[in-house]
Every structure is written in C-alpha cells, then in structure tokens.
C-alpha cells in the first residue's frame, strides 16, 4: 500500500520535506513521492496533511504542479 506525498506550493517545498524525512529521490514520480504504508505515520507526524485522492488531484491541478503521465518535466 502506498500514499502520495505532494505539495500545493512548489516542488522545492516538496523535495525539501521529503529530504528532511529521508525519503529517497528515487521515490519521486512526476509530481509526487510514493510513500510506503510503513512510513505513513512518520510523514503525517512531520506535518503532512491527510487528504483524499480526489483532493490530491485538485490541489496539484490548482497549484499548477500536476504532471500527468506522458508529460515531460525538467526536474528530478
């Protein structure tokens, strides 16, 4: 089971938060980090906010950070 870690502010914020938690950069995919279920509580305790999958898409789209499959992204 996996969760997605996103930012609705910037990729810089997302990468900094993931780095602080020791999430490996290989867990980054297009616009989110994949977080395994055994790390979920750690990520929430560090300040991540729980939202539904529908809300994840809405937040990414609204912030302009959504990168659907097939769309190139110049970052990581």
């Amino acid at each position: 089971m996996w969760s997605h870690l996103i930012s609705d502010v910037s990729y810089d914020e997302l990468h900094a938060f993931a780095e602080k938690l020791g999430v490996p950069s290989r867990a980054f995919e297009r616009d989110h980090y994949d977080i395994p279920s055994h790390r979920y509580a750690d990520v929430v305790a560090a300040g991540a906010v729980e939202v539904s999958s529908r809300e994840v898409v809405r937040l990414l789209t609204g912030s302009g950070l959504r990168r659907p499959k097939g769309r190139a992204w110049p970052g990581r």
Side-chain angles (χ1 to χ4, degrees):
M1 185 103 160
W2 298 86
S3 297
H4 290 167
L5 177 65
I6 69 161
S7 172
D8 61 349
V9 174
S10 70
Y11 289 116
D12 288 339
E13 176 191 62
L14 176 60
H15 295 312
F17 189 76
E19 185 176 339
K20 180 177 92 171
L21 291 169
V23 177
S25 61
R26 69 179 178 276
F28 183 71
E29 185 178 334
R30 295 184 322 273
D31 54 12
H32 67 275
Y33 281 88
D34 289 323
I35 303 297
S37 59
H38 71 274
R39 294 289 321 270
Y40 185 84
D42 297 334
V43 173
V44 172
V49 177
E50 299 175 84
V51 298
S52 69
S53 56
R54 186 170 280 158
E55 187 73 358
V56 166
V57 173
R58 188 190 71 73
L59 289 166
L60 284 172
T61 302
S63 66
L65 298 174
R66 177 85 169 122
R67 297 288 182 246
K69 283 187 178 180
R71 184 185 292 177
W73 183 71
R76 294 181 182 191

